[in-house]
Amino acid sequence: MNELSSTGQDLTPEQIHRRIGELGDWFHNIDLRGVKTAPNHFLGDYPQQKFRHFAHAIPADLRGKSVLDVGCNAGFYSFEMKRRGASRVVGIDSEDMYLEQARFAAQVLGHDVEFHKMSVYEVGSLREKFDVVIFMGVLYHLRHPLLALDLLHEHVVGDMMIFQSMLRGDPAMEEIAEDYPFSDTSPFERPAFPRMYFIEKRYSSDPTNWWIPNAACAAGMLRSAGFDIVDQPEAEVFVCRRRELSSLERTLCALPRGNGQ
């Protein structure tokens, strides 16, 4: 019988270690019953060391709640939400390798998590709203980031969204006026004015890094898409609540048809 045909919880540390290697390079360092998936990660014990800075901002008791992890990678955050008692956790990613890793990790840890191959632009096909949506480490990899936020708001965020993006530029956030005269170009010279940096070629050797906002831009995009920021427990992390859009906002944010609507 194939050694992976068991529940996964019967595998020896040697079998787990061997399978980790077979599944390629891991970006999430996950402890699989004493065996680490990425012990030499260039960011250290990632994402655990980042999570500990904002873990307190997520409800400790998620019993009866549903969670969607968008861009789940190998499933670290999906598993953390399951540990908090979430009744249903769904992870989506567009990369087959990450999904294979996530399914294996879930098997070893004994977590009942659904994983599906899907991009953020396809979330309408889920036809379901979730109590908590995790959208971390995805925005800057997208060619159409604001569209992604609009789609999340429209289709899957029922209440809370945990958002994180790599940020660059000035970390400050200034008060934005309701309007600016066409002749006034001074706001665009201020470092804390919302701005997005476009990466035409590569950043950090990654061709999928497309848009990197500063803090003010990330916050402004979230508000524009219909999310109220209720906490910023870590420099790159925003805890948001979904709000209904006004009729004017819905007109301005009108989505193209054909996205599962």
Side-chain angles (χ1 to χ4, degrees), residues 1-259:
M1 183 172 66
N2 186 296
E3 65 184 25
L4 295 182
S5 64
S6 66
T7 63
Q9 297 180 344
D10 299 326
L11 299 178
T12 66
E14 292 75 20
Q15 290 171 329
I16 293 171
H17 185 270
R18 181 163 61 251
R19 185 58 178 156
I20 287 172
E22 292 171 350
L23 290 171
D25 293 331
W26 293 60
F27 189 69
H28 282 180
N29 186 34
I30 302 172
D31 188 335
L32 299 185
R33 303 207 325 268
V35 184
K36 299 294 183 70
T37 59
N40 301 313
H41 200 295
F42 73 100
L43 292 174
D45 185 13
Y46 187 87
Q48 177 63 56
Q49 67 182 26
K50 188 175 188 68
F51 181 57
R52 64 171 59 104
H53 292 297
F54 65 90
H56 64 280
I58 304 174
D61 186 354
L62 290 174
R63 284 177 294 181
K65 303 294 185 182
S66 59
V67 178
L68 174 65
D69 187 359
V70 180
C72 62
N73 203 280
F76 175 88
Y77 292 109
S78 295
F79 304 144
E80 289 298 328
M81 299 305 103
K82 200 66 183 176
R83 289 189 182 102
R84 293 182 181 220
S87 60
R88 181 160 181 259
V89 179
V90 177
I92 64 171
D93 205 287
S94 58
E95 293 292 332
D96 288 321
M97 182 182 74
Y98 293 145
L99 291 170
E100 281 192 69
Q101 292 172 351
R103 290 181 180 121
F104 174 67
Q107 183 185 31
V108 172
L109 296 172
H111 289 315
D112 180 18
V113 179
E114 299 175 36
F115 291 107
H116 303 287
K117 184 174 183 179
M118 182 182 296
S119 82
V120 65
Y121 305 120
E122 300 172 298
V123 293
S125 65
L126 290 170
R127 300 187 181 279
E128 178 182 355
K129 281 192 164 59
F130 295 80
D131 298 302
V132 179
V133 171
I134 299 171
F135 187 51
M136 302 189 63
V138 179
L139 186 91
Y140 49 93
H141 292 302
L142 302 175
R143 286 183 66 90
H144 311 289
L146 193 55
L147 172 61
L149 289 175
D150 289 340
L151 289 168
L152 290 171
H153 182 278
E154 179 77 8
H155 296 294
V156 293
V157 180
D159 181 21
M160 174 182 283
M161 182 170 76
I162 312 300
F163 169 89
Q164 180 270 336
S165 174
M166 173 167 55
L167 303 177
R168 291 295 182 265
D170 198 297
M173 287 188 265
E174 63 179 36
E175 189 72 24
I176 303 299
E178 186 67 27
D179 195 5
Y180 294 94
F182 181 76
S183 59
D184 183 7
T185 61
S186 62
F188 305 99
E189 307 303 321
R190 299 198 294 266
F193 194 78
R195 63 182 66 186
M196 184 87 89
Y197 301 95
F198 175 66
I199 310 301
E200 181 182 0
K201 296 183 180 179
R202 293 177 184 236
Y203 179 71
S204 189
S205 302
D206 189 340
T208 72
N209 286 327
W210 289 109
W211 294 99
I212 306 177
N214 65 4
C217 180
M221 291 174 71
L222 288 166
R223 290 190 295 266
S224 174
F227 298 103
D228 292 331
I229 299 169
V230 297
D231 196 4
Q232 189 181 358
E234 199 259 1
E236 295 182 342
V237 177
F238 298 82
V239 179
C240 309
R241 295 282 184 180
R242 184 187 187 277
R243 61 174 168 78
E244 291 296 331
L245 298 175
S246 68
S247 57
L248 175 59
E249 287 175 318
R250 289 191 65 83
T251 299
L252 294 174
C253 299
L255 295 171
R257 300 293 99 180
N259 292 294

